[in-house]
Amino acid sequence: MVQPSVPKPAPGPDSYNSIAAQYARAKAVKDREDRIRDFKKGIADAKKEKGSLEALSDRKRDRFLGEWNWVLGVFVWFFFIHATGLYYFTKGFLLTRLVLEEHSSCAVPPIALAPSFKGAGTIEGGCWHPKSFDKAVVVIIDALRYDFTIPYKNESQAQAFHNSLPVLYDTAISQPQNAFLLPFIADPPTTTLQRLKGLTTGTLPTFIDAGSNFAGTAIEEDNLLMRLKDVGKKIVHLGDDTWTALFPGYFEANISRAYDSLNVWDLHTLDNGVLEHIMPLLQEKEKKAQWDVMFAHFLGVDHAGHRYGPNHPAMTAKLQQMDTVIRDLMKSLDDDTLLVIMGDHGMDSKGDHGGESDDEVQAALWMYSKKGIFGRTDPAYVTPPADAKIRPVNQIDLVPTLSLLLGLPIPFNNLGKPIEEAFSGKRGNAWDNLSAVGRMAAAGIKRYQSAYYAARGIDESTIDGSPQALWATAENALTSSKKEQMYKEAYASFSAYQEEISRIYRGLWARFDVPSMILGVFILASGLLSLMLYANANAEDGEAVEDPELDKAEQKLELNNFAKGITTYDQETTSRSMVRTAFIGTALGVAFGPVLRTVFEGESLLAFGLAPGAISGLVGVLFQEARRRMKISNPFPTSFWGWLAAIFTISQSIGFASNSYTIWEDSTLMFFITTFGIASAVSSLRLEKVADRALGVYHSLAFVILGCLSSYSKLCREEQMPYCMSTYYASSTSSTSAPWQLLIPFVVAGLLPEIIKSFYVGSRSYEGFASIWIGWILRGGLFLSAVFWTLDAADDAEWFPNLPSGLLKNTRVPIAQTILAMTLGAGTTAFVYAPPCIAISTAAGPSAGSEGTAHPAKATITILGFANAHGTRYLLLVLNILLTLLLVQKPMGFGALSLMAWQCLSLLEVLDLNSLTSSPIGPIMLAVLGSHHFFKTGHQATLSSIQWESAFVPLHTIMYPYSPILVGLNTFGAQILAVTFLPLVVLWKQKPKRKGTLRAVATALAWHVGYFATVGLATTMWAGHLRRHLMLYRIFCPRFMMGAMTLLVADAVGVLVALFGFRANMKGVGEIFGWA
Amino acid sequence: MPLIDPVTMSATTKTTPAGTPPVKPSLPVELLPNDLARIISQAHPVVLLAGFYIRFPALVENPAATLLSSLLLVSLVQIGYVILCLPPTGQSIKPAKKVIGAKKTNDGTTPVARPLTAFFALIMSLASIPLLTALQILFGAPISTHLLHTILTSSHVALLVMFPLVYVHGADGKKWREIASFYSPMDEVFGGAVGCFLGAWLGAVPIPLDWDREWQKWPVTIVTGAYAGYMVGKMAGGWLVKGRRIELS
C-alpha cells in the first residue's frame, strides 16, 4: 500500500477501543487541518450524515466493484482469445460437409435416357444403363499400395514389398479384355472408416458430416449398399468389422463374418477367417445362391505395415498369400460375376496412413471378369501405368462404375465418373457407350449440385466458374453430326464437367489448412503464456498479512487519511494494466483487419477481424508483461505443492500425445487424486495441533477414498475393452439404469444434506439461511430428483402397463421444471439477497475472571459462524448449481457427482488446514476432480458417449437454446461444478474482513482455467501433429474437441458463475460486516 | 507416495508456516561404527540389484511365483544387512560423536540381541503388508484380480522398507510420526524408504502404454521401480542428502 506522508496518529490504547473513539480522533485530526477541510467540504458533509466508517466502507465497496470490473475484463478477454485460437485451428482441421437426405431410385434417372434400351428402369435390364453383371465380388486388401502390384525391374534394390503380388499386373497384360489394373487415388483422410464411406457413397468424406447423427457411425446418406438392398440384392460381408458399424443390418446374417479390426499386432486371425468362409461361398452351389454381392475385407497387409513397415519379410509373405488368394478367386469365378480387387489407401514408408502424402493415397484397383468386356481406348494403355501419377482413377469413381455395371442407379451424392476401361468395349471404341455413362454420371452430379446449393441456401447461378459452361458444351456436343466424333467429344466434355465439380468440392471439403491450424495453436499458446504471467503477477502483488493488531492500526490509518480526503487506492493493478493493453491491442488489430483483407483477398471478414485482433492484443499483453518484469523471475514452481500442480498438468498434457494415456485418462486422473490425497495426509501429519492433524488426515483420506468409490462408476470406451467393465448402466449393451441404481438418488437425498451440514457445523455456521436451505430446500430438491429418475425408469421399462401412455412423462417433466425453477430461479435470487450464515448469541461472561474485576458480569456477544462467513454463504450458490446438475445426471452420475461435491468440501478443509489456499495446487486439484468425474458421470472423450436424452429431462420436445444447454450441463457437469467451487478455495474459512480476496480469487481462477488451457493447447497440438495417425478420428480428434469445449465451458462458467457469484457474495457479507 | 522435490529438499527448518513439528530435531541413523558395517552397507545394494537382475526374466515370466520364491532370499539379505550394519532400536542414540571419539566397536549390544531384534522387527513389519496393499489399491491396483500379486509386492516393499525402519526405530511413536510425515532426517534407511515409494509410484507410468511388452504386466514395473528407487534412495540418503529433511512448502 502506498503510504502518503501524513503524520501518523499517536498510538494510544484508547484509540483502539471503540468506533466512537476512532471517530472522535479522526474528527480532531480533521479539525486541525483547516485547509483540507475547506477543500473537501463535500466529503465532510456526507460523512456527517453517515459516519466516517460507513463512508469509508462505501468507498471500499466502490473500489471493490471497480476492480472487479477489471478482473471481469481480463477473463472475458481470455475467453475471446481461447475462442479465437480454437476457431482458427478448427477451421483448418475439422472439415465439414452437409449431408443431403435424398436417395436415387431405379425408376427416376437424373436425366432422360438418351438411347432407351430394353428393360430400362428395372433391375433386370439395368436401371439407368444396360447392366453387364449379375453378381460381384469386391475384395478390399487394406493398404494395398499401387507399387506393391507392379513389377520392379532392378532386383538388387527391390524391397520386401516388391514383386510379391504379380498376379494383377500379369493378368492385365495377358488378358486385357478380362482384366485391367490402374492406380486408385484415395482422398484424404486415408483412414479405413473414411475410405469406406468414400468407396460406397462416391463422395468425399470429412470428419464431421454435418446433418448426420453424431451418436452413431452408420452411414445414412445414399450409398451403393443402400441401392443394392433397395433392388433386392443380397449382400454378404467378410472381414473388417468397420463394415458392420457403417452398415448395420445390411448383410445376410448367417453367412457374413465380421472380425475385430483394431488389433494391429495380429496379422492372420482376420485374414484366415475370411479365407475360411470365402471359398465355400464361391464354390458350393447352395451357398452361391444365398448372395449377390460380396464384400471381403483383408487387413493383413495393413497390419503388417503398421507393425513392421512395408520393407519387412512379413510383408512379402502377406503379399504372396494375397497373390495366391486372388488366383484362387479367379479360378472359382463364374461368367456373370465381376471380381474387383482394390486397396482402400496406401501406406507411408513406416507403414502408417491417415494423411495425404503420395504413398498414402496411391492404392491399386484391379477388375476382372471371365466375360471379356473390358477395353482400352489406346493400345498403349494395355500395360498398366508404371507409376501412380499416370492415368490414375479416383476412388470415388468406383461407385458409378460398379453401379452401372450391375445395373443399379448411381447413389445420389456421387461425385465420381465411370472408369473408362470398364465401358470402352473390347476394341476400345465404344464411344457411344462411354458417352452415355459419362452423361448419366454427370447428370447425377448436376442434380446433386443443385440440391446441395439449395440446401445451403446459395443461388447456383451466382457462383462463378465454368461448370455451367462445361455442361452446356457437353450437351451441345451431342447434337453434332459425325457420330463417333460426336460421342468422343461429348464423353470428353462430361468428363471435364465431372472433374471440375469434384475439384471444387475437394477444395471445399477435404484439405487440412495447415497455416490456419498453426495460427490457432499460436494464439492458444500465447494466450496460455499470458494467463500464466497474469496469475504469477497477481500472486506476487503481495499476500495479505493476517494480523489483528495490524488490521486495526491500518484501519485507523485509513480512516485518518480518508478524513483528510487522501485516497490510497489508485494503484495500478495487474488486472487493470492487462485489460487496458489487451483491449487497446485487440481494438487496433480489429481496426486493421479490413485493411489487411484488401491485401490478401479471399477470406471472410470475420477471419480478418479476429486474427489481427487476437494477435495484436496478445502482443500488447506479452510486451507489457515483459516490460513490467524485466528481471525474469524463476519460472519454476517454488514449493512441493507448486511442483505437484505443475507435474499433474504437464504430464497429463504430454500423455495426450499417446493413444494409451488418452484412452486410460480416467485411471490417470484417479492416480493423481490419490497422489494428492496421500501427500496432503503426509503434510497434515506435520501439523502441530492434534485436532488439526486428525482432521487433516481424515479429510485427506476421505478425499482419496471417495475418489476410489466414485471410480466404480464406469462407462468404458471401445478401446478399453476387454480390460474394463461398464457399470454406468444396467449392462454394457443397454443405456438404462439397473433397478438398484435407482436407489442411489434416494440415498444421496438422505445423506448429502447431512454431510454438508457437518461442514457448516464445524465452523458453527449452520445458522441463518443455511438450515432452511440445506435441511429443506436441498433435501427436498434431491428427493424430487430421485422421484424423477424413478418415474423415468418406470416409463422406460413399462412397470405399470395399465397406466395411460404419457402419464409418467407428463408427471415427471413438471417435477424437473419445478426443480429447475427452484434452483435457478428462486435459488439464485435468494442467494443474491441472502444474509451470511451467522447468528448472534449472548452469554454471560466469566464472572470470576482473575483480572476481569472491572466488569464483573459483562455479557459476551459471540457471532456464530464468523470464522467462515464468506465460505458458508457462497456454498449456498454451489448447492444450487449442484442440484441443477444432479437433475440432468443419470442415477449413477447422480451418485458420482454427489461424491465429487463431498470430495471438494474435504479438499477445501485440507487446503485450509495446510495453509495452501494461495497455492496453485487447490485450483488444479479442483480441475483434476472435474476431469475425473467427467468420466464418472458416464462420459468418455468420444462423440458416442454424449447422453443426448438429457435434453428431454425438463422438456417434451427439442427447444432451442435450452436443449443444447441441457446436454452441456449433463456432459460438462463435473467441470462446471469444479469451477463453481473454485472461489471457495480462497473464501473457505475466511473471516468477513479478509483483505485481498478479489486478487486471490482472480489468481485461483487463472490457475484453474490455466489447467484446462494447457490441456486444451496440448490436445490441439497433438491432434494437429498426429493428423496422419491411424487413430486420429477415433482418439485424438474427439479428445481435441472435448478439450476445446471444456476450456470454453470453464472460461464461461468461471465468469458467469464464479466471478458473479463471488461478487454477490462479497456484497452480501460486506453489507453486514463492512468492506475490507 | 508423494514426490520429492529436489529443489526444495533443503535442510532449512526456519519459518515454515504450518509444518514444523514441535518435537526436538531427531538425528539421522548412523551405521555401526566398524569397517564391516561400512563394507556390507555398500555391498548390500549391489547384491540386491544383481539378484533382481538375475530374477527379472523369471519375474516377467511368472510374477507371482517369482515374487513368492524370492521372498526368503530377500529377507535373508535384509536380515544380514540390518544385523551387520544398523544399530538396533534403543541403542542407536549415541551417534557420530562416539565414532569420532573412541574406537569402541561394541555399542553395548550383545551379539544375541541383534538377531532377536531383527526377528521381532521382521514379524512386526509383516503387519504393514495389508496397509501397503490398501495403498496400492487406492492408487488403482486391480482389486478383483491379481490380489496375490499386489500382496506379494507389498511384502517385498515391507521387507525393503519397513523391516529396517522397525529394526532401527522400534515402536517410538514420535519417530514414526516423523517418518509417516516424511519429515525424518535423511539417512540410508529413511532415504531407501522414500526412494522405494517414489520408485514404485513412477513404476506405474509405463503400464498403460500400448507397447504390448511382456514386462508391462502387473506388478513387474511397480516392483522394478520399488527396487530401483530403494537402491538410489538408500545411497542418496546415506551420502548426498544425509541429515536433510523434505520440506513441502
Side-chain angles (χ1 to χ4, degrees), chain A residues 772-1039:
Chain A
I772 304 167
W773 205 298
I774 296 165
W776 293 98
I777 299 182
L778 177 67
R779 195 185 295 275
L782 289 173
F783 183 74
L784 278 179
S785 302
V787 171
F788 172 89
W789 283 107
T790 311
L791 290 178
D792 178 72
D795 198 7
D796 280 349
E798 295 184 345
W799 291 349
F800 310 108
N802 302 332
L803 288 179
S805 69
L807 178 72
L808 288 172
K809 174 98 182 157
N810 288 336
T811 323
R812 69 168 198 259
V813 166
I815 291 180
Q817 287 171 344
T818 312
I819 295 170
L820 288 182
M822 211 161 75
T823 57
L824 294 181
T828 310
T829 320
F831 170 73
V832 171
Y833 296 105
C837 305
I838 51 164
I840 294 179
S841 89
T842 317
S847 54
S850 56
E851 292 161 50
T853 44
H855 309 285
K858 191 179 176 184
T860 318
I861 293 174
T862 317
I863 304 177
L864 299 175
F866 183 80
N868 196 1
H870 278 294
T872 49
R873 190 184 180 284
Y874 184 86
L875 187 57
L876 300 179
L877 173 69
V878 178
L879 297 179
N880 276 335
I881 303 287
L882 174 65
L883 196 50
T884 313
L885 296 173
L886 285 180
L887 174 68
V888 293
Q889 301 296 337
K890 304 270 172 73
M892 205 64 178
F894 204 102
L897 215 55
S898 307
L899 289 177
M900 173 179 168
W902 188 354
Q903 268 189 298
C904 288
L905 288 168
S906 283
L907 174 68
L908 295 176
E909 292 286 345
V910 168
L911 293 175
D912 176 60
L913 285 166
N914 288 292
S915 313
L916 291 174
T917 51
S918 55
S919 163
I921 191 72
I924 299 294
M925 280 322 291
L926 271 181
V928 169
L929 271 184
S931 310
H932 175 70
H933 285 272
F934 169 83
F935 295 97
K936 301 303 131 196
T937 48
H939 300 99
Q940 282 290 350
T942 57
L943 288 174
S944 53
S945 75
I946 297 176
Q947 298 167 18
W948 298 104
E949 59 277 20
S950 53
F952 298 99
V953 167
L955 297 172
H956 289 284
T957 54
I958 296 273
M959 265 174 87
Y960 290 97
Y962 302 109
S963 302
I965 291 176
L966 285 163
V967 175
L969 287 178
N970 171 285
T971 309
F972 300 108
Q975 286 99 334
I976 292 173
L977 186 63
V979 67
T980 309
F981 258 103
L982 183 91
L984 285 177
V985 169
V986 175
L987 297 179
W988 193 248
K989 295 269 173 87
Q990 291 303 327
K991 293 192 178 69
K993 300 206 87 171
R994 183 199 195 268
K995 290 184 190 308
T997 40
L998 176 61
R999 203 178 47 224
V1001 167
T1003 312
L1005 186 57
W1007 290 124
H1008 187 79
V1009 170
Y1011 169 86
F1012 291 114
T1014 313
V1015 169
L1017 172 65
T1019 49
T1020 307
M1021 279 170 28
W1022 299 137
H1025 179 69
L1026 298 170
R1027 62 185 183 278
R1028 284 144 199 261
H1029 195 281
L1030 170 70
M1031 290 293 173
L1032 175 70
Y1033 291 102
R1034 299 184 69 97
I1035 291 176
F1036 298 109
C1037 189
R1039 189 60 189 82

Side-chain angles (χ1 to χ4, degrees), chain A residues 50-70:
Chain A
K50 297 180 83 179
S52 64
L53 250 186
E54 276 181 44
L56 179 61
S57 187
D58 283 354
R59 187 169 191 93
K60 285 180 172 175
R61 183 193 63 207
D62 295 344
R63 181 172 67 105
F64 169 83
L65 295 180
E67 187 61 27
W68 181 88
N69 288 333
W70 291 107

Side-chain angles (χ1 to χ4, degrees), chain A residues 41 47 73 166 171 182 284 289 344 405 416 565 665 671 716 727 865 955 962 984:
Chain A
K41 201 164 182 305
K47 193 184 63 190
T171 44
L182 286 171
E284 291 169 22
D344 57 343
L405 285 177
E665 192 183 349
F671 190 70
C716 306
T727 53
L955 297 172
Y962 302 109
L984 285 177

Side-chain angles (χ1 to χ4, degrees), chain A residues 117-132 404 406-407:
Chain A
F117 55 92
K118 187 164 170 275
T122 66
I123 184 57
E124 289 75 27
C127 290
W128 298 354
H129 190 78
K131 77 167 174 190
S132 313
L404 297 174
L406 291 171

Side-chain angles (χ1 to χ4, degrees), chain A residues 133-399:
Chain A
F133 298 99
D134 288 326
K135 302 179 83 167
V137 176
V138 180
V139 177
I140 292 154
I141 298 175
D142 209 287
L144 181 66
R145 206 162 75 185
Y146 183 67
D147 61 349
F148 293 180
T149 63
I150 50 173
Y152 190 76
K153 299 286 186 318
N154 193 343
E155 284 285 345
S156 59
Q157 286 172 17
Q159 298 200 41
F161 55 81
H162 282 132
N163 301 331
S164 304
L165 183 65
V167 59
L168 307 180
Y169 187 87
D170 293 349
T171 44
I173 288 189
S174 62
Q175 320 166 38
Q177 292 169 357
N178 298 90
F180 64 87
L181 172 66
L182 286 171
F184 197 41
I185 306 300
D187 289 295
T190 46
T191 50
T192 297
L193 183 121
Q194 262 66 27
R195 284 291 81 247
L196 291 187
K197 279 189 175 183
L199 283 169
T200 52
T201 59
T203 185
L204 310 162
T206 53
F207 180 63
I208 292 184
D209 293 340
S212 69
N213 185 4
F214 272 120
T217 43
I219 298 184
E220 289 175 357
E221 63 183 316
D222 202 9
N223 61 65
L224 194 64
L225 280 82
M226 212 180 251
R227 290 306 105 233
L228 283 168
K229 197 132 182 85
D230 209 39
V231 297
K233 299 260 185 196
K234 283 174 285 194
I235 314 169
V236 59
H237 160 253
L238 300 170
D240 188 336
D241 62 358
T242 313
W243 284 88
T244 43
L246 288 172
F247 302 102
Y250 277 70
F251 305 118
E252 297 298 307
N254 48 349
I255 49 173
S256 293
R257 295 284 183 280
Y259 298 86
D260 178 29
S261 59
L262 284 174
N263 188 359
V264 294
W265 298 103
D266 181 355
L267 270 55
H268 301 296
T269 306
L270 184 140
D271 286 2
N272 293 343
V274 175
L275 289 178
E276 184 190 332
H277 293 100
I278 197 168
M279 288 308 166
L281 285 175
L282 284 170
Q283 291 162 350
E284 291 169 22
K285 205 154 181 150
E286 64 194 89
K287 286 207 168 172
K288 254 169 117 172
Q290 292 174 13
W291 59 274
D292 296 306
V293 177
M294 177 194 293
F295 292 95
H297 194 141
F298 290 96
L299 281 177
V301 174
D302 181 52
H303 288 184
H306 283 303
R307 183 161 181 185
Y308 302 110
N311 191 16
H312 189 278
M315 182 63 83
T316 315
K318 204 75 220 174
L319 290 173
Q320 283 167 351
Q321 181 195 14
M322 289 298 125
D323 191 82
T324 319
V325 169
I326 295 167
R327 288 179 201 277
D328 290 347
L329 288 175
M330 285 164 66
K331 272 180 218 148
S332 44
L333 214 62
D334 61 28
D335 283 357
D336 282 335
T337 306
L338 171 70
L339 175 63
V340 183
I341 309 277
M342 62 185 171
D344 57 343
H345 50 73
M347 60 174 71
D348 66 10
S349 53
K350 301 186 307 298
D352 297 323
H353 56 89
E356 46 197 313
S357 69
D358 281 353
D359 277 346
E360 289 164 277
V361 300
Q362 292 170 350
L365 171 73
W366 178 81
M367 286 196 187
Y368 175 84
S369 89
K370 293 200 166 152
K371 245 184 197 171
I373 59 159
F374 300 141
R376 310 289 191 281
T377 52
D378 184 323
Y381 291 171
V382 170
T383 311
D387 69 59
K389 297 281 179 206
I390 306 164
R391 291 194 297 118
V393 295
N394 285 303
Q395 295 207 342
I396 51 175
D397 297 345
L398 180 76
V399 161

Side-chain angles (χ1 to χ4, degrees), chain A residues 65-75 534 573 575-577 579-580:
Chain A
L65 295 180
E67 187 61 27
W68 181 88
N69 288 333
W70 291 107
V71 173
L72 178 71
V74 169
F75 284 97
Y534 171 72
T573 61
S575 305
R576 264 186 228 203
S577 64
V579 172
R580 219 171 279 141

Side-chain angles (χ1 to χ4, degrees), chain A residues 720-801:
Chain A
Q720 288 180 325
M721 298 300 178
Y723 307 106
C724 175
M725 200 179 77
S726 290
T727 53
Y728 196 72
Y729 296 116
S731 72
S732 54
T733 52
S734 86
S735 60
T736 53
S737 302
W740 70 267
Q741 290 173 334
L742 295 175
L743 288 178
I744 295 174
F746 287 102
V747 173
V748 169
L751 293 184
L752 189 63
E754 291 302 318
I755 291 158
I756 290 168
K757 182 182 168 186
S758 74
F759 282 89
Y760 276 77
V761 170
S763 57
R764 303 217 272 167
S765 304
Y766 201 62
E767 304 292 344
F769 235 39
S771 57
I772 304 167
W773 205 298
I774 296 165
W776 293 98
I777 299 182
L778 177 67
R779 195 185 295 275
L782 289 173
F783 183 74
L784 278 179
S785 302
V787 171
F788 172 89
W789 283 107
T790 311
L791 290 178
D792 178 72
D795 198 7
D796 280 349
E798 295 184 345
W799 291 349
F800 310 108

Side-chain angles (χ1 to χ4, degrees), chain A residues 265 638-641 643-644 647-648 658-661 664 670-671 674-675 678-679 682-683 685-688 693 704-705 708 913-915, chain B residues 1-5 7-8 18-22 135 137-139 177 180-183 201 204-206 208-210 212 246-249:
Chain A
W265 298 103
T638 49
S639 75
F640 167 79
W641 299 106
W643 274 103
L644 207 56
I647 286 171
F648 286 170
S658 132
N659 43 3
S660 324
Y661 286 118
W664 293 102
M670 186 59 223
F671 190 70
T674 309
T675 304
I678 299 296
V682 164
S683 166
L685 278 172
R686 300 182 173 197
L687 294 173
E688 274 180 51
R693 209 186 299 156
V704 175
I705 290 167
C708 268
L913 285 166
N914 288 292
S915 313
Chain B
M1 289 155 267
L3 293 167
I4 307 171
D5 160 26
V7 175
T8 56
T20 326
L135 198 63
I137 287 170
L138 286 181
F139 271 98
R177 191 190 134 205
S181 60
F182 281 71
Y183 199 65
W201 187 84
V205 171
L209 287 169
D210 61 350
D212 280 347
I246 303 168
E247 293 296 341
L248 296 181
S249 40

